[in-house]
Amino acid sequence: MRAFKPVLLLLLTSFGLYAQISQPYRFEKELRFTDHEFMIIPRGNQGLALVRETNTYKSGNRTWEVLLLDTTLTQTKAINVEIDQRRNLLGYEHSPSALYLLFGLADNQMRSEFRLVEVSADTLQAWEIKPEINCILTRFTKAGNNFLLGGYMNNEPTILLFRPDNESLKILPGLFQKDTDLLDLRTNENNTFTVLFMDRQNRNNRKLVLRIFDSEGKELFQNEISIGERRAPQTCLVSTLKREDMLVAGTWGAPHSRQSMGFFALPVVPFQSRDPRLYALGELTHYLDHLKEARRQRIQEKTKALITAGRLPDYLDHVRPIRLEETDEGFILLAEVFVPSSAAGRDPFMYPGLYPYPYPPFAGFYPYNPLYYPPIYNRWYNPFYPVDSSREQDNVKVIRSVVLAFNHEGNLLWDYSFILDDIRLAAVEQMSDFCMSNQNLYILYKKKSNLHIKKVNLQNQNATEEVIPLQLSDEEDELRNEKDRDEYVRYWKDRTFYVWGIQSIRNKSRTGDTFRQVFYINAVRVP
């Protein structure tokens, strides 16, 4: 009996709602013992790109393999890129016609030398980027025809603008400020870009500073945002002007605390001052659904009483916002709740002196800040990818996924949460994702070879949960094992997610070796 059949039988007996969730395509590539894992780059309607380093060297260069897949997960192109073996992949960008890979020296903290490679179906082109001052990168994106490298010089935030047409590099003026953190750097739909800072000069009233530039680096707009005394903004995300509306959303808490008291949402209007909408965790409708009813009611009642008395709520969590999506009705924020390590000696955040800049699981690109958790710039958001990062220790437990919707004014429309089953990691990574389809909210996460799905009908608030197995390529395939901790799912496009991992599969009908180990990607489509 094949290992996946009992779960498949369970799925068939619960036919109906989740039988409509399909897995139309699957990609497999067999792995040898020494092969490196792929990084997946979603390219929307252009498909996916897979990138990995190889063990092939020539004249001091390492070969990187790039595979291009179409939207049916069919490989259309394989390209080799020769890169100085001292350099690692730091980030990526893409356009409809090309993929852009940014490589940097492994000792990025000591020297700033970057190589930007353009990969298209027909050509390869590369540029060297050498800032005169050492720069520790935390962001990389593309605006128009130019590229933006965000990070820190001498512990002060800075943005570098690189123009490939004349290979010029300039530093945007007015950004070097002490006691300031770079929270977000994001390209907008109209080819402008937004920079969001946190000003910590006033320790009791931290402010957000939002600046919008055109693709050539000319400032168009600036706004300062305060969420009030005794409250400090933490991790923040900015929308991307798919329409004329812009929203800043994230978490807030007490100054000097890394635990969050709630979420906030603030519409940005040029030359107008708006007050942010603050929402305490304890007053959300479904945030506390994981608790017993009596305790949930006590927390909600106490939170309401504290807010009415003008005091700060006392229900706290470690929360990290991940994704801010724009819809016709407003904005949707995805966040995840996690529990950091209880062993302080193993927690990189407890001893900043040991790791003044990056901690290894973050691949060396997140400067330490004791006041907030930087946003996750994962594989979906132009990441600084931890190539083969160590997973020897379980420092973090991700426990819930939270999705909140706001209207154009920042008013909370609804919130829902999904309990994640015992997800343990070496560092904080995104474990879930969501999409909207036909007035239904779908939240997904992967554990082992199963997809865990929560569907919420937003019209009647009916919520259902289900577990379905990942489909294999052949009816004769038998799943033997799934590699631990490859619990990844990402929203891709339209109503489609992609999930991936490494599986050991047996197929008795094959001639020769009946076992194979594969890197796989499954496309998952919701109704």
Side-chain angles (χ1 to χ4, degrees):
M1 182 70 68
R2 294 182 180 87
F4 66 92
K5 279 190 173 180
V7 183
L8 183 58
L9 181 62
L10 177 63
L11 171 66
L12 294 176
T13 59
S14 58
F15 180 82
L17 190 63
Y18 285 90
Q20 302 178 59
I21 294 177
S22 63
Q23 300 177 51
Y25 311 114
R26 177 177 168 101
F27 169 84
E28 282 189 8
K29 187 171 181 63
E30 292 196 30
L31 297 177
R32 297 186 299 270
F33 178 75
T34 58
D35 284 344
H36 295 270
E37 296 183 26
F38 283 102
M39 181 182 78
I40 305 176
I41 300 174
R43 304 175 63 209
N45 291 325
Q46 281 68 50
L48 302 175
L50 311 183
V51 183
R52 68 175 176 180
E53 59 184 315
T54 71
N55 295 314
T56 302
Y57 297 86
K58 182 180 180 180
S59 301
N61 291 332
R62 179 197 292 265
T63 299
W64 289 72
E65 182 181 18
V66 180
L67 304 182
L68 302 182
L69 312 183
D70 64 17
T71 54
T72 67
L73 298 184
T74 301
Q75 181 177 320
T76 60
K77 193 77 173 180
I79 303 167
N80 288 334
V81 181
E82 305 297 327
I83 296 294
D84 186 330
Q85 64 182 351
R86 299 172 300 168
R87 290 177 169 168
N88 290 328
L89 180 61
L90 305 184
Y92 68 77
E93 254 290 6
H94 64 86
S95 67
S97 60
L99 174 69
Y100 303 93
L101 305 175
L102 183 69
F103 294 87
L105 295 173
D107 59 345
N108 176 50
Q109 297 177 22
M110 305 302 296
R111 266 189 306 171
S112 294
E113 292 183 11
F114 310 106
R115 187 168 181 81
L116 176 62
V117 179
E118 179 186 80
V119 181
S120 68
D122 302 317
T123 61
L124 284 176
Q125 189 172 1
W127 300 269
E128 288 291 327
I129 304 175
K130 296 183 178 181
E132 295 182 359
I133 305 175
N134 183 50
C135 176
I136 299 173
L137 285 189
T138 63
R139 307 288 188 272
F140 171 64
T141 190
K142 183 175 184 286
N145 295 321
N146 301 326
F147 293 87
L148 303 164
L149 290 75
Y152 291 81
M153 290 184 176
N154 298 324
N155 296 325
E156 297 176 355
T158 188
I159 306 294
L160 304 176
L161 188 148
F162 177 70
R163 295 189 55 172
D165 57 353
N166 58 14
E167 300 189 26
S168 64
L169 183 68
K170 74 173 184 179
I171 300 175
L172 298 190
L175 301 183
F176 288 97
Q177 298 182 29
K178 294 182 178 180
D179 298 320
T180 303
D181 298 315
L182 175 60
L183 298 188
D184 205 358
L185 170 63
R186 204 164 292 265
T187 302
N188 300 316
E189 293 290 322
N190 60 3
N191 285 329
T192 63
F193 63 92
T194 302
V195 184
L196 184 67
F197 301 96
M198 182 196 296
D199 184 348
R200 297 184 284 107
Q201 296 184 54
N202 185 337
R203 305 184 68 180
N204 295 318
N205 187 9
R206 293 182 170 85
K207 295 181 179 180
L208 298 177
V209 180
L210 183 145
R211 303 173 69 179
I212 298 178
F213 299 82
D214 67 16
S215 61
E216 299 297 325
K218 179 181 177 181
E219 185 172 341
L220 306 176
F221 166 70
Q222 176 173 327
N223 195 9
E224 291 189 359
I225 304 163
S226 173
I227 68 171
E229 295 186 0
R230 299 185 301 143
R231 299 170 176 85
Q234 297 174 324
T235 305
C236 306
L237 299 175
V238 183
S239 63
T240 57
L241 287 176
K242 287 185 178 178
R243 298 176 309 276
E244 295 182 356
D245 303 298
M246 174 172 279
L247 189 82
V248 179
T251 53
W252 64 276
H256 317 297
S257 174
R258 302 197 69 172
Q259 289 184 284
S260 301
M261 294 181 175
F263 295 93
F264 77 91
L266 175 68
V268 178
V269 181
F271 313 110
Q272 291 186 24
S273 177
R274 296 283 189 95
D275 292 328
R277 314 286 188 181
L278 302 182
Y279 304 98
L281 301 179
E283 63 179 345
L284 298 177
T285 304
H286 294 286
Y287 185 88
L288 303 175
D289 281 357
H290 62 290
L291 300 177
K292 293 183 178 180
E293 180 64 19
R295 186 183 177 196
R296 183 181 65 81
Q297 288 185 358
R298 288 197 302 270
I299 293 173
Q300 289 179 328
E301 291 170 358
K302 185 177 181 181
T303 299
K304 184 177 180 180
L306 290 171
I307 293 174
T308 302
R311 299 170 60 187
L312 295 176
D314 60 0
Y315 184 83
L316 311 174
D317 260 332
H318 293 274
V319 184
R320 177 170 279 190
I322 294 172
R323 174 179 159 213
L324 183 61
E325 180 70 18
E326 300 172 57
T327 69
D328 292 338
E329 292 76 25
F331 306 87
I332 301 179
L333 178 66
L334 170 69
E336 289 181 348
V337 185
F338 64 96
V339 178
S341 171
S342 59
R346 294 170 56 191
D347 189 345
F349 303 119
M350 297 299 294
Y351 296 103
L354 296 178
Y355 303 100
Y357 294 108
Y359 181 63
F362 289 95
F365 304 106
Y366 286 101
Y368 171 82
N369 187 314
L371 302 176
Y372 75 101
Y373 294 99
I376 292 179
Y377 274 71
N378 51 43
R379 298 168 178 82
W380 178 256
Y381 298 113
N382 306 340
F384 289 83
Y385 180 71
V387 178
D388 289 341
S389 59
S390 171
R391 289 177 174 271
E392 294 179 357
Q393 299 179 8
D394 294 331
N395 286 338
V396 176
K397 182 179 180 181
V398 186
I399 57 177
R400 289 196 309 285
S401 178
V402 183
V403 182
L404 308 94
F406 307 95
N407 66 13
H408 300 293
E409 296 298 316
N411 297 312
L412 183 65
L413 300 177
W414 47 259
D415 70 274
Y416 291 95
S417 63
F418 191 14
I419 298 174
L420 307 186
D421 180 22
D422 195 28
I423 303 295
R424 297 175 184 271
L425 305 167
V428 180
E429 297 182 59
Q430 179 184 351
M431 290 292 104
S432 62
D433 217 328
F434 78 94
C435 82
M436 296 290 301
S437 177
N438 301 318
Q439 291 300 307
N440 294 311
L441 168 68
Y442 291 90
I443 310 174
L444 277 68
Y445 78 94
K446 172 180 174 284
K447 185 168 178 66
K448 288 291 186 180
S449 296
N450 293 321
L451 275 177
H452 296 247
I453 304 167
K454 181 169 186 173
K455 175 185 175 182
V456 181
N457 185 313
L458 298 179
Q459 294 180 320
N460 58 22
Q461 288 77 53
N462 181 46
T464 52
E465 297 182 12
E466 186 60 277
V467 180
I468 65 173
L470 292 176
Q471 293 180 3
L472 303 179
S473 297
D474 190 284
E475 292 183 355
E476 298 298 321
D477 282 344
E478 178 183 349
L479 178 63
R480 306 297 293 178
N481 185 46
E482 173 108 9
K483 182 179 178 182
D484 272 347
R485 310 302 164 80
D486 283 336
E487 320 288 8
Y488 298 120
V489 58
R490 295 291 184 272
Y491 175 71
W492 181 3
K493 64 183 187 67
D494 302 327
R495 297 174 288 110
T496 305
F497 298 79
Y498 63 94
V499 299
W500 72 96
I502 296 177
Q503 292 175 334
S504 295
I505 297 172
R506 183 184 183 188
N507 189 318
K508 292 183 178 180
S509 66
R510 294 181 60 176
T511 59
D513 190 357
T514 60
F515 286 90
R516 70 186 190 273
Q517 185 178 55
V518 299
F519 169 84
Y520 73 90
I521 305 172
N522 279 30
V524 179
R525 184 173 296 161
V526 301

